[in-house]
Amino acid sequence: MAARIYQQPKSAMQSGKARIEQWVLEFEQSEARKPDPLMGWTGSGDTQTQVSLSFPTKDAAKAYAAKHGIPARVHATPPKGLKIQAYADNFR
């Protein structure tokens, strides 16, 4: 069962920097989702996709995956850039 390791992005409603330094290990889907005939909801019998583990560093997440024999891919965090602009630029 493969997993992916990534850094949790900041949500659109979040202005602060709380909990953006954490790294997350999530398992990938091992079986396809299928619609439920009665309700029409999609689901699968794979319960590992519901597991999400948080770690303080990328190395801690990689060490956990290696210790438990989980093949994991690390997704790089995109660089954060600030767009510096003056208030007067809104009127140009």
PDB file of all heavy atoms in Angstrom, residues 41-77:
ATOM      1  N   TRP A  41     -24.309   7.223  -3.491  1.00  0.00           N
ATOM      2  CA  TRP A  41     -23.048   7.764  -2.992  1.00  0.00           C
ATOM      3  C   TRP A  41     -21.908   6.894  -3.489  1.00  0.00           C
ATOM      4  O   TRP A  41     -22.067   5.712  -3.748  1.00  0.00           O
ATOM      5  CB  TRP A  41     -23.034   7.774  -1.472  1.00  0.00           C
ATOM      6  CG  TRP A  41     -24.077   8.650  -0.864  1.00  0.00           C
ATOM      7  CD1 TRP A  41     -24.725   9.692  -1.452  1.00  0.00           C
ATOM      8  CD2 TRP A  41     -24.617   8.536   0.441  1.00  0.00           C
ATOM      9  NE1 TRP A  41     -25.615  10.254  -0.607  1.00  0.00           N
ATOM     10  CE2 TRP A  41     -25.575   9.553   0.587  1.00  0.00           C
ATOM     11  CE3 TRP A  41     -24.393   7.690   1.512  1.00  0.00           C
ATOM     12  CZ2 TRP A  41     -26.287   9.751   1.745  1.00  0.00           C
ATOM     13  CZ3 TRP A  41     -25.107   7.888   2.673  1.00  0.00           C
ATOM     14  CH2 TRP A  41     -26.043   8.908   2.783  1.00  0.00           C
ATOM     15  N   THR A  42     -20.734   7.478  -3.619  1.00  0.00           N
ATOM     16  CA  THR A  42     -19.572   6.683  -4.019  1.00  0.00           C
ATOM     17  C   THR A  42     -18.806   6.264  -2.785  1.00  0.00           C
ATOM     18  O   THR A  42     -18.732   6.993  -1.797  1.00  0.00           O
ATOM     19  CB  THR A  42     -18.645   7.486  -4.950  1.00  0.00           C
ATOM     20  OG1 THR A  42     -18.217   8.654  -4.270  1.00  0.00           O
ATOM     21  CG2 THR A  42     -19.341   7.843  -6.235  1.00  0.00           C
ATOM     22  N   GLY A  43     -18.239   5.093  -2.850  1.00  0.00           N
ATOM     23  CA  GLY A  43     -17.471   4.579  -1.727  1.00  0.00           C
ATOM     24  C   GLY A  43     -16.662   3.375  -2.150  1.00  0.00           C
ATOM     25  O   GLY A  43     -16.753   2.892  -3.275  1.00  0.00           O
ATOM     26  N   SER A  44     -15.841   2.901  -1.227  1.00  0.00           N
ATOM     27  CA  SER A  44     -15.043   1.707  -1.483  1.00  0.00           C
ATOM     28  C   SER A  44     -14.812   0.991  -0.160  1.00  0.00           C
ATOM     29  O   SER A  44     -15.084   1.526   0.911  1.00  0.00           O
ATOM     30  CB  SER A  44     -13.709   2.067  -2.146  1.00  0.00           C
ATOM     31  OG  SER A  44     -12.880   2.741  -1.234  1.00  0.00           O
ATOM     32  N   GLY A  45     -14.292  -0.200  -0.241  1.00  0.00           N
ATOM     33  CA  GLY A  45     -13.994  -0.976   0.958  1.00  0.00           C
ATOM     34  C   GLY A  45     -12.615  -0.684   1.516  1.00  0.00           C
ATOM     35  O   GLY A  45     -12.199  -1.300   2.491  1.00  0.00           O
ATOM     36  N   ASP A  46     -11.897   0.249   0.907  1.00  0.00           N
ATOM     37  CA  ASP A  46     -10.543   0.579   1.330  1.00  0.00           C
ATOM     38  C   ASP A  46     -10.604   1.564   2.497  1.00  0.00           C
ATOM     39  O   ASP A  46     -10.975   2.720   2.323  1.00  0.00           O
ATOM     40  CB  ASP A  46      -9.777   1.182   0.155  1.00  0.00           C
ATOM     41  CG  ASP A  46      -8.337   1.481   0.495  1.00  0.00           C
ATOM     42  OD1 ASP A  46      -7.819   0.887   1.468  1.00  0.00           O
ATOM     43  OD2 ASP A  46      -7.732   2.303  -0.197  1.00  0.00           O
ATOM     44  N   THR A  47     -10.247   1.110   3.688  1.00  0.00           N
ATOM     45  CA  THR A  47     -10.298   1.988   4.857  1.00  0.00           C
ATOM     46  C   THR A  47      -8.995   2.754   5.093  1.00  0.00           C
ATOM     47  O   THR A  47      -8.975   3.683   5.890  1.00  0.00           O
ATOM     48  CB  THR A  47     -10.632   1.177   6.121  1.00  0.00           C
ATOM     49  OG1 THR A  47      -9.647   0.157   6.285  1.00  0.00           O
ATOM     50  CG2 THR A  47     -12.000   0.556   6.009  1.00  0.00           C
ATOM     51  N   GLN A  48      -7.924   2.363   4.413  1.00  0.00           N
ATOM     52  CA  GLN A  48      -6.642   3.052   4.609  1.00  0.00           C
ATOM     53  C   GLN A  48      -6.671   4.488   4.087  1.00  0.00           C
ATOM     54  O   GLN A  48      -5.886   5.311   4.535  1.00  0.00           O
ATOM     55  CB  GLN A  48      -5.509   2.283   3.928  1.00  0.00           C
ATOM     56  CG  GLN A  48      -5.138   1.018   4.632  1.00  0.00           C
ATOM     57  CD  GLN A  48      -4.350   1.276   5.914  1.00  0.00           C
ATOM     58  OE1 GLN A  48      -4.466   2.306   6.555  1.00  0.00           O
ATOM     59  NE2 GLN A  48      -3.546   0.319   6.283  1.00  0.00           N
ATOM     60  N   THR A  49      -7.552   4.804   3.140  1.00  0.00           N
ATOM     61  CA  THR A  49      -7.602   6.168   2.609  1.00  0.00           C
ATOM     62  C   THR A  49      -8.131   7.152   3.642  1.00  0.00           C
ATOM     63  O   THR A  49      -7.976   8.355   3.474  1.00  0.00           O
ATOM     64  CB  THR A  49      -8.471   6.239   1.345  1.00  0.00           C
ATOM     65  OG1 THR A  49      -9.773   5.751   1.663  1.00  0.00           O
ATOM     66  CG2 THR A  49      -7.876   5.430   0.227  1.00  0.00           C
ATOM     67  N   GLN A  50      -8.746   6.653   4.709  1.00  0.00           N
ATOM     68  CA  GLN A  50      -9.255   7.513   5.761  1.00  0.00           C
ATOM     69  C   GLN A  50      -8.180   7.891   6.766  1.00  0.00           C
ATOM     70  O   GLN A  50      -8.387   8.776   7.590  1.00  0.00           O
ATOM     71  CB  GLN A  50     -10.402   6.826   6.490  1.00  0.00           C
ATOM     72  CG  GLN A  50     -11.565   6.497   5.589  1.00  0.00           C
ATOM     73  CD  GLN A  50     -12.597   5.637   6.285  1.00  0.00           C
ATOM     74  OE1 GLN A  50     -12.494   5.352   7.471  1.00  0.00           O
ATOM     75  NE2 GLN A  50     -13.595   5.215   5.538  1.00  0.00           N
ATOM     76  N   VAL A  51      -7.019   7.239   6.695  1.00  0.00           N
ATOM     77  CA  VAL A  51      -5.941   7.477   7.647  1.00  0.00           C
ATOM     78  C   VAL A  51      -5.068   8.626   7.163  1.00  0.00           C
ATOM     79  O   VAL A  51      -4.602   8.638   6.026  1.00  0.00           O
ATOM     80  CB  VAL A  51      -5.083   6.203   7.834  1.00  0.00           C
ATOM     81  CG1 VAL A  51      -3.919   6.458   8.758  1.00  0.00           C
ATOM     82  CG2 VAL A  51      -5.935   5.070   8.351  1.00  0.00           C
ATOM     83  N   SER A  52      -4.856   9.593   8.041  1.00  0.00           N
ATOM     84  CA  SER A  52      -3.981  10.722   7.751  1.00  0.00           C
ATOM     85  C   SER A  52      -3.117  10.964   8.984  1.00  0.00           C
ATOM     86  O   SER A  52      -3.636  11.283  10.059  1.00  0.00           O
ATOM     87  CB  SER A  52      -4.819  11.958   7.433  1.00  0.00           C
ATOM     88  OG  SER A  52      -3.994  13.067   7.227  1.00  0.00           O
ATOM     89  N   LEU A  53      -1.804  10.802   8.843  1.00  0.00           N
ATOM     90  CA  LEU A  53      -0.883  10.956   9.964  1.00  0.00           C
ATOM     91  C   LEU A  53      -0.100  12.256   9.818  1.00  0.00           C
ATOM     92  O   LEU A  53       0.391  12.561   8.733  1.00  0.00           O
ATOM     93  CB  LEU A  53       0.085   9.771  10.012  1.00  0.00           C
ATOM     94  CG  LEU A  53      -0.548   8.390  10.131  1.00  0.00           C
ATOM     95  CD1 LEU A  53       0.515   7.321   9.995  1.00  0.00           C
ATOM     96  CD2 LEU A  53      -1.267   8.258  11.450  1.00  0.00           C
ATOM     97  N   SER A  54       0.025  13.010  10.899  1.00  0.00           N
ATOM     98  CA  SER A  54       0.760  14.285  10.883  1.00  0.00           C
ATOM     99  C   SER A  54       2.107  14.113  11.564  1.00  0.00           C
ATOM    100  O   SER A  54       2.216  13.412  12.577  1.00  0.00           O
ATOM    101  CB  SER A  54      -0.034  15.371  11.608  1.00  0.00           C
ATOM    102  OG  SER A  54      -1.250  15.595  10.954  1.00  0.00           O
ATOM    103  N   PHE A  55       3.125  14.787  11.020  1.00  0.00           N
ATOM    104  CA  PHE A  55       4.479  14.731  11.552  1.00  0.00           C
ATOM    105  C   PHE A  55       5.055  16.140  11.591  1.00  0.00           C
ATOM    106  O   PHE A  55       4.716  16.975  10.752  1.00  0.00           O
ATOM    107  CB  PHE A  55       5.368  13.838  10.671  1.00  0.00           C
ATOM    108  CG  PHE A  55       4.927  12.408  10.647  1.00  0.00           C
ATOM    109  CD1 PHE A  55       4.084  11.945   9.653  1.00  0.00           C
ATOM    110  CD2 PHE A  55       5.346  11.523  11.621  1.00  0.00           C
ATOM    111  CE1 PHE A  55       3.667  10.640   9.621  1.00  0.00           C
ATOM    112  CE2 PHE A  55       4.929  10.206  11.597  1.00  0.00           C
ATOM    113  CZ  PHE A  55       4.095   9.754  10.589  1.00  0.00           C
ATOM    114  N   PRO A  56       5.950  16.407  12.540  1.00  0.00           N
ATOM    115  CA  PRO A  56       6.527  17.760  12.616  1.00  0.00           C
ATOM    116  C   PRO A  56       7.526  18.059  11.492  1.00  0.00           C
ATOM    117  O   PRO A  56       7.678  19.206  11.098  1.00  0.00           O
ATOM    118  CB  PRO A  56       7.203  17.793  13.981  1.00  0.00           C
ATOM    119  CG  PRO A  56       7.444  16.362  14.329  1.00  0.00           C
ATOM    120  CD  PRO A  56       6.365  15.574  13.650  1.00  0.00           C
ATOM    121  N   THR A  57       8.189  17.022  10.962  1.00  0.00           N
ATOM    122  CA  THR A  57       9.171  17.238   9.903  1.00  0.00           C
ATOM    123  C   THR A  57       9.006  16.200   8.801  1.00  0.00           C
ATOM    124  O   THR A  57       8.384  15.148   9.003  1.00  0.00           O
ATOM    125  CB  THR A  57      10.620  17.134  10.444  1.00  0.00           C
ATOM    126  OG1 THR A  57      10.831  15.813  10.942  1.00  0.00           O
ATOM    127  CG2 THR A  57      10.892  18.153  11.539  1.00  0.00           C
ATOM    128  N   LYS A  58       9.602  16.504   7.657  1.00  0.00           N
ATOM    129  CA  LYS A  58       9.570  15.574   6.525  1.00  0.00           C
ATOM    130  C   LYS A  58      10.376  14.322   6.847  1.00  0.00           C
ATOM    131  O   LYS A  58       9.982  13.204   6.499  1.00  0.00           O
ATOM    132  CB  LYS A  58      10.121  16.271   5.283  1.00  0.00           C
ATOM    133  CG  LYS A  58      10.232  15.363   4.079  1.00  0.00           C
ATOM    134  CD  LYS A  58      10.625  16.077   2.811  1.00  0.00           C
ATOM    135  CE  LYS A  58      11.899  16.811   2.918  1.00  0.00           C
ATOM    136  NZ  LYS A  58      12.393  17.342   1.646  1.00  0.00           N
ATOM    137  N   ASP A  59      11.495  14.496   7.546  1.00  0.00           N
ATOM    138  CA  ASP A  59      12.333  13.347   7.888  1.00  0.00           C
ATOM    139  C   ASP A  59      11.621  12.388   8.835  1.00  0.00           C
ATOM    140  O   ASP A  59      11.790  11.175   8.737  1.00  0.00           O
ATOM    141  CB  ASP A  59      13.644  13.825   8.511  1.00  0.00           C
ATOM    142  CG  ASP A  59      14.489  14.607   7.516  1.00  0.00           C
ATOM    143  OD1 ASP A  59      14.391  14.316   6.310  1.00  0.00           O
ATOM    144  OD2 ASP A  59      15.237  15.498   7.948  1.00  0.00           O
ATOM    145  N   ALA A  60      10.805  12.925   9.740  1.00  0.00           N
ATOM    146  CA  ALA A  60      10.052  12.063  10.656  1.00  0.00           C
ATOM    147  C   ALA A  60       9.018  11.240   9.892  1.00  0.00           C
ATOM    148  O   ALA A  60       8.818  10.056  10.180  1.00  0.00           O
ATOM    149  CB  ALA A  60       9.372  12.903  11.728  1.00  0.00           C
ATOM    150  N   ALA A  61       8.383  11.842   8.908  1.00  0.00           N
ATOM    151  CA  ALA A  61       7.406  11.115   8.095  1.00  0.00           C
ATOM    152  C   ALA A  61       8.089  10.038   7.262  1.00  0.00           C
ATOM    153  O   ALA A  61       7.577   8.913   7.140  1.00  0.00           O
ATOM    154  CB  ALA A  61       6.650  12.084   7.198  1.00  0.00           C
ATOM    155  N   LYS A  62       9.239  10.357   6.676  1.00  0.00           N
ATOM    156  CA  LYS A  62       9.971   9.372   5.887  1.00  0.00           C
ATOM    157  C   LYS A  62      10.476   8.233   6.761  1.00  0.00           C
ATOM    158  O   LYS A  62      10.458   7.073   6.357  1.00  0.00           O
ATOM    159  CB  LYS A  62      11.131  10.052   5.159  1.00  0.00           C
ATOM    160  CG  LYS A  62      10.663  10.904   4.000  1.00  0.00           C
ATOM    161  CD  LYS A  62      11.736  11.789   3.420  1.00  0.00           C
ATOM    162  CE  LYS A  62      12.984  11.129   2.995  1.00  0.00           C
ATOM    163  NZ  LYS A  62      13.954  12.033   2.359  1.00  0.00           N
ATOM    164  N   ALA A  63      10.912   8.549   7.983  1.00  0.00           N
ATOM    165  CA  ALA A  63      11.395   7.516   8.902  1.00  0.00           C
ATOM    166  C   ALA A  63      10.260   6.587   9.318  1.00  0.00           C
ATOM    167  O   ALA A  63      10.450   5.368   9.422  1.00  0.00           O
ATOM    168  CB  ALA A  63      12.028   8.168  10.128  1.00  0.00           C
ATOM    169  N   TYR A  64       9.083   7.125   9.552  1.00  0.00           N
ATOM    170  CA  TYR A  64       7.926   6.295   9.903  1.00  0.00           C
ATOM    171  C   TYR A  64       7.578   5.343   8.761  1.00  0.00           C
ATOM    172  O   TYR A  64       7.317   4.159   8.984  1.00  0.00           O
ATOM    173  CB  TYR A  64       6.726   7.180  10.236  1.00  0.00           C
ATOM    174  CG  TYR A  64       5.481   6.398  10.547  1.00  0.00           C
ATOM    175  CD1 TYR A  64       5.249   5.917  11.836  1.00  0.00           C
ATOM    176  CD2 TYR A  64       4.539   6.123   9.570  1.00  0.00           C
ATOM    177  CE1 TYR A  64       4.107   5.187  12.131  1.00  0.00           C
ATOM    178  CE2 TYR A  64       3.399   5.391   9.856  1.00  0.00           C
ATOM    179  CZ  TYR A  64       3.191   4.928  11.140  1.00  0.00           C
ATOM    180  OH  TYR A  64       2.067   4.206  11.412  1.00  0.00           O
ATOM    181  N   ALA A  65       7.576   5.871   7.537  1.00  0.00           N
ATOM    182  CA  ALA A  65       7.261   5.040   6.380  1.00  0.00           C
ATOM    183  C   ALA A  65       8.303   3.937   6.193  1.00  0.00           C
ATOM    184  O   ALA A  65       7.963   2.791   5.893  1.00  0.00           O
ATOM    185  CB  ALA A  65       7.151   5.901   5.129  1.00  0.00           C
ATOM    186  N   ALA A  66       9.564   4.277   6.378  1.00  0.00           N
ATOM    187  CA  ALA A  66      10.624   3.276   6.223  1.00  0.00           C
ATOM    188  C   ALA A  66      10.548   2.214   7.316  1.00  0.00           C
ATOM    189  O   ALA A  66      10.757   1.023   7.053  1.00  0.00           O
ATOM    190  CB  ALA A  66      11.984   3.967   6.248  1.00  0.00           C
ATOM    191  N   LYS A  67      10.238   2.641   8.545  1.00  0.00           N
ATOM    192  CA  LYS A  67      10.171   1.707   9.667  1.00  0.00           C
ATOM    193  C   LYS A  67       9.053   0.681   9.481  1.00  0.00           C
ATOM    194  O   LYS A  67       9.213  -0.485   9.827  1.00  0.00           O
ATOM    195  CB  LYS A  67       9.956   2.477  10.966  1.00  0.00           C
ATOM    196  CG  LYS A  67       9.832   1.618  12.192  1.00  0.00           C
ATOM    197  CD  LYS A  67       9.586   2.462  13.425  1.00  0.00           C
ATOM    198  CE  LYS A  67       9.367   1.574  14.638  1.00  0.00           C
ATOM    199  NZ  LYS A  67       9.025   2.366  15.825  1.00  0.00           N
ATOM    200  N   HIS A  68       7.938   1.115   8.907  1.00  0.00           N
ATOM    201  CA  HIS A  68       6.794   0.230   8.739  1.00  0.00           C
ATOM    202  C   HIS A  68       6.711  -0.378   7.339  1.00  0.00           C
ATOM    203  O   HIS A  68       5.713  -1.043   7.018  1.00  0.00           O
ATOM    204  CB  HIS A  68       5.504   0.981   9.066  1.00  0.00           C
ATOM    205  CG  HIS A  68       5.411   1.349  10.518  1.00  0.00           C
ATOM    206  ND1 HIS A  68       5.072   0.445  11.489  1.00  0.00           N
ATOM    207  CD2 HIS A  68       5.645   2.514  11.161  1.00  0.00           C
ATOM    208  CE1 HIS A  68       5.081   1.030  12.662  1.00  0.00           C
ATOM    209  NE2 HIS A  68       5.430   2.298  12.497  1.00  0.00           N
ATOM    210  N   GLY A  69       7.721  -0.168   6.508  1.00  0.00           N
ATOM    211  CA  GLY A  69       7.765  -0.777   5.182  1.00  0.00           C
ATOM    212  C   GLY A  69       6.740  -0.225   4.215  1.00  0.00           C
ATOM    213  O   GLY A  69       6.242  -0.951   3.360  1.00  0.00           O
ATOM    214  N   ILE A  70       6.434   1.046   4.329  1.00  0.00           N
ATOM    215  CA  ILE A  70       5.445   1.684   3.458  1.00  0.00           C
ATOM    216  C   ILE A  70       6.187   2.410   2.345  1.00  0.00           C
ATOM    217  O   ILE A  70       6.975   3.314   2.619  1.00  0.00           O
ATOM    218  CB  ILE A  70       4.582   2.686   4.255  1.00  0.00           C
ATOM    219  CG1 ILE A  70       3.878   1.985   5.405  1.00  0.00           C
ATOM    220  CG2 ILE A  70       3.582   3.370   3.350  1.00  0.00           C
ATOM    221  CD1 ILE A  70       3.254   2.935   6.403  1.00  0.00           C
ATOM    222  N   PRO A  71       5.969   2.047   1.082  1.00  0.00           N
ATOM    223  CA  PRO A  71       6.597   2.816   0.002  1.00  0.00           C
ATOM    224  C   PRO A  71       5.924   4.190  -0.100  1.00  0.00           C
ATOM    225  O   PRO A  71       4.721   4.279  -0.324  1.00  0.00           O
ATOM    226  CB  PRO A  71       6.347   1.972  -1.237  1.00  0.00           C
ATOM    227  CG  PRO A  71       5.186   1.116  -0.894  1.00  0.00           C
ATOM    228  CD  PRO A  71       5.187   0.923   0.587  1.00  0.00           C
ATOM    229  N   ALA A  72       6.704   5.229   0.090  1.00  0.00           N
ATOM    230  CA  ALA A  72       6.130   6.579   0.128  1.00  0.00           C
ATOM    231  C   ALA A  72       6.840   7.489  -0.867  1.00  0.00           C
ATOM    232  O   ALA A  72       8.049   7.386  -1.071  1.00  0.00           O
ATOM    233  CB  ALA A  72       6.247   7.158   1.532  1.00  0.00           C
ATOM    234  N   ARG A  73       6.045   8.359  -1.483  1.00  0.00           N
ATOM    235  CA  ARG A  73       6.577   9.386  -2.371  1.00  0.00           C
ATOM    236  C   ARG A  73       6.446  10.725  -1.663  1.00  0.00           C
ATOM    237  O   ARG A  73       5.405  11.031  -1.077  1.00  0.00           O
ATOM    238  CB  ARG A  73       5.802   9.443  -3.675  1.00  0.00           C
ATOM    239  CG  ARG A  73       5.991   8.234  -4.551  1.00  0.00           C
ATOM    240  CD  ARG A  73       5.205   8.397  -5.815  1.00  0.00           C
ATOM    241  NE  ARG A  73       3.810   8.719  -5.402  1.00  0.00           N
ATOM    242  CZ  ARG A  73       2.829   8.948  -6.239  1.00  0.00           C
ATOM    243  NH1 ARG A  73       3.041   8.895  -7.513  1.00  0.00           N
ATOM    244  NH2 ARG A  73       1.621   9.218  -5.810  1.00  0.00           N
ATOM    245  N   VAL A  74       7.494  11.539  -1.757  1.00  0.00           N
ATOM    246  CA  VAL A  74       7.473  12.861  -1.133  1.00  0.00           C
ATOM    247  C   VAL A  74       7.158  13.885  -2.217  1.00  0.00           C
ATOM    248  O   VAL A  74       7.834  13.954  -3.237  1.00  0.00           O
ATOM    249  CB  VAL A  74       8.831  13.185  -0.467  1.00  0.00           C
ATOM    250  CG1 VAL A  74       8.813  14.582   0.118  1.00  0.00           C
ATOM    251  CG2 VAL A  74       9.146  12.154   0.597  1.00  0.00           C
ATOM    252  N   HIS A  75       6.101  14.646  -2.001  1.00  0.00           N
ATOM    253  CA  HIS A  75       5.722  15.711  -2.924  1.00  0.00           C
ATOM    254  C   HIS A  75       6.345  17.006  -2.428  1.00  0.00           C
ATOM    255  O   HIS A  75       6.123  17.418  -1.282  1.00  0.00           O
ATOM    256  CB  HIS A  75       4.201  15.858  -2.999  1.00  0.00           C
ATOM    257  CG  HIS A  75       3.537  14.675  -3.625  1.00  0.00           C
ATOM    258  ND1 HIS A  75       3.335  14.581  -4.975  1.00  0.00           N
ATOM    259  CD2 HIS A  75       3.052  13.525  -3.099  1.00  0.00           C
ATOM    260  CE1 HIS A  75       2.747  13.439  -5.247  1.00  0.00           C
ATOM    261  NE2 HIS A  75       2.562  12.781  -4.118  1.00  0.00           N
ATOM    262  N   ALA A  76       7.106  17.639  -3.300  1.00  0.00           N
ATOM    263  CA  ALA A  76       7.804  18.865  -2.917  1.00  0.00           C
ATOM    264  C   ALA A  76       6.812  20.001  -2.692  1.00  0.00           C
ATOM    265  O   ALA A  76       5.787  20.105  -3.359  1.00  0.00           O
ATOM    266  CB  ALA A  76       8.797  19.258  -4.000  1.00  0.00           C
ATOM    267  N   THR A  77       7.149  20.848  -1.751  1.00  0.00           N
ATOM    268  CA  THR A  77       6.320  22.014  -1.457  1.00  0.00           C
ATOM    269  C   THR A  77       6.663  23.115  -2.446  1.00  0.00           C
ATOM    270  O   THR A  77       7.837  23.429  -2.641  1.00  0.00           O
ATOM    271  CB  THR A  77       6.596  22.504  -0.025  1.00  0.00           C
ATOM    272  OG1 THR A  77       6.412  21.411   0.865  1.00  0.00           O
ATOM    273  CG2 THR A  77       5.680  23.633   0.360  1.00  0.00           C
TER     274      THR A  77
END
